[in-house]
Amino acid sequence: GESVGLHLPTLSVQEGDNSIINCAYSNSASDYFIWYKQESGKGPQFIIDIRSNMDKRQGQRVTVLLNKTVKHLSLQIAATQPGDSAVYFCAEREIQGAQKLVFGQGTRLTINP
Amino acid sequence: EPEVTQTPSHQVTQMGQEVILRCVPISNHLYFYWYRQILGQKVEFLVSFYNNEISEKSEIFDDQFSVERPDGSNFTLKIRSTKLEDSAMYFCASSPRDGYTFGSGTRLTVV
């Protein structure tokens, strides 16, 4: 099962640098994946999604990569800005059932000026 | 841009009391969800609701929990007898199928 801990993985980057946040998902049957950003005291905010029949998708300043072979998802943020500081969660949706999302542990991204 | 609205933003209740958390999902969405997040932890699935009935629930969603969609627009989560460990952020979400939209959450504090 998944471990639930009180200490999030953290990533600190310099403003203007690129950030890469990684996520290992658990279910090979998942068909849809989403990256969410969560700022303190707020709900998860949609960033970008990708279906399992794709391996890459680009948005504005963000790119998601999916490697189904090793069940790995990554989020790349280009030219990070102070407003990118937040906790980032990946979420997977199982292809069967009620289409619930299962969230990963989360990574805290800190942007240094 | 359409939003999922949750009220109240913060609820303090005594242990053993009943609470009702309210949500107004996006109007043309078909799937509705409740999630919770204990401080510092990940977001956990509680229950999903589709076609006016529960479609899936987690182990957390025991007999103390219930959901309703009383009037076709509101979506409520009731906790009958709150426990200290129910203290968490509770998020409502809705989806047409893909692209889940979350509300800002209700912070429930049980004292």
Side-chain angles (χ1 to χ4, degrees), chain A residues 58-69:
Chain A
Q58 289 185 293
Q60 187 178 14
R61 278 202 312 120
V62 293
T63 301
V64 54
L65 299 178
L66 174 63
N67 185 331
K68 294 182 288 294
T69 303

Side-chain angles (χ1 to χ4, degrees), chain A residues 37-40 81-88 109-112:
Chain A
K37 172 185 180 183
Q38 187 178 30
E39 296 172 295
S40 181
Q81 303 167 357
D84 294 331
S85 292
V87 177
Y88 290 81
L109 177 64
T110 302
I111 310 303
N112 301 315

Side-chain angles (χ1 to χ4, degrees), chain B residues 22-62:
Chain B
R22 303 180 191 279
C23 170
V24 179
I26 294 174
S27 60
N28 61 347
H29 284 187
L30 302 175
Y31 299 86
F32 311 105
Y33 306 87
W34 282 100
Y35 287 80
R36 81 170 186 190
Q37 186 178 32
I38 295 171
L39 184 64
Q41 297 188 17
K42 64 180 180 180
V43 179
E44 300 175 288
F45 169 78
L46 291 178
V47 66
S48 59
F49 195 85
Y50 172 72
N51 202 24
N52 289 320
E53 61 183 15
I54 290 174
S55 45
E56 187 173 352
K57 57 185 180 180
S58 71
E59 294 175 353
I60 303 167
F61 195 89
D62 61 21

Side-chain angles (χ1 to χ4, degrees), chain A residues 25 30-35 48-50 52 66 73 91-92:
Chain A
Y25 64 92
S30 294
D31 70 332
Y32 178 63
F33 305 87
I34 309 176
W35 278 101
I48 191 167
D49 58 2
I50 188 167
S52 58
L66 174 63
L73 198 66
E92 59 182 306

Side-chain angles (χ1 to χ4, degrees), chain A residues 2 4-6 8 31-32 34 36 38 41-44 51 89 93 97-101 103-105, chain B residues 31 33 35 37 39-43 45 48 55-56 89 91 97-105 107:
Chain A
E2 297 175 36
V4 177
L6 295 177
L8 292 173
D31 70 332
Y32 178 63
I34 309 176
Y36 284 96
Q38 187 178 30
K42 297 184 179 180
R51 295 185 181 278
F89 292 96
R93 182 183 72 187
Q99 304 194 30
K100 71 182 183 193
L101 292 179
F103 282 78
Q105 184 70 14
Chain B
Y31 299 86
Y33 306 87
Y35 287 80
Q37 186 178 32
L39 184 64
Q41 297 188 17
K42 64 180 180 180
V43 179
F45 169 78
S48 59
S55 45
E56 187 173 352
M89 284 288 289
F91 295 107
R97 186 182 186 276
D98 296 342
Y100 303 69
T101 303
F102 283 78
S104 297
R107 179 175 298 283

